[in-house]
Amino acid sequence: MIGDQAVSSVFDNSKIKRFVPDFQATVPFSKGIKQSVAWFEAHPEQCTVDAEWSALLDKLIERHGIEAKPLSFYA
């Protein structure tokens, strides 16, 4: 598998609904992600960067690109 959500699918959220039945998502993803990015930009002290991990990811992206590939690509 190329990542845990590489294919479109439906996720069962019945368990969390049992534990928090009154929760209602009121912020659409597009707005929520903008709020998250703004928060991290306003709190750089919370954003530690692991230089070794970052370099590894850069190398993997350079080697394999960012577009999805069939599993046969890696065989």
Side-chain angles (χ1 to χ4, degrees):
M1 181 180 282
I2 308 170
D4 63 344
Q5 295 175 11
V7 241
S8 178
S9 50
V10 176
F11 297 94
D12 179 7
N13 61 3
S14 59
K15 187 174 183 180
I16 191 66
K17 285 183 175 185
R18 277 197 315 273
F19 288 105
V20 193
D22 295 332
F23 176 78
Q24 290 283 320
T26 58
V27 177
F29 178 81
S30 60
K31 185 175 179 181
I33 197 68
K34 288 176 184 174
Q35 290 173 341
S36 294
V37 169
W39 185 91
F40 279 104
E41 288 176 341
H43 300 87
E45 71 283 358
Q46 298 293 324
C47 307
T48 58
V49 175
D50 180 331
E52 188 177 335
W53 178 249
S54 185
L56 174 63
L57 293 177
D58 288 344
K59 184 187 286 186
L60 289 171
I61 291 168
E62 181 181 322
R63 182 173 177 192
H64 298 287
I66 57 170
E67 53 286 328
K69 295 176 178 55
L71 290 178
S72 59
F73 176 84
Y74 299 99

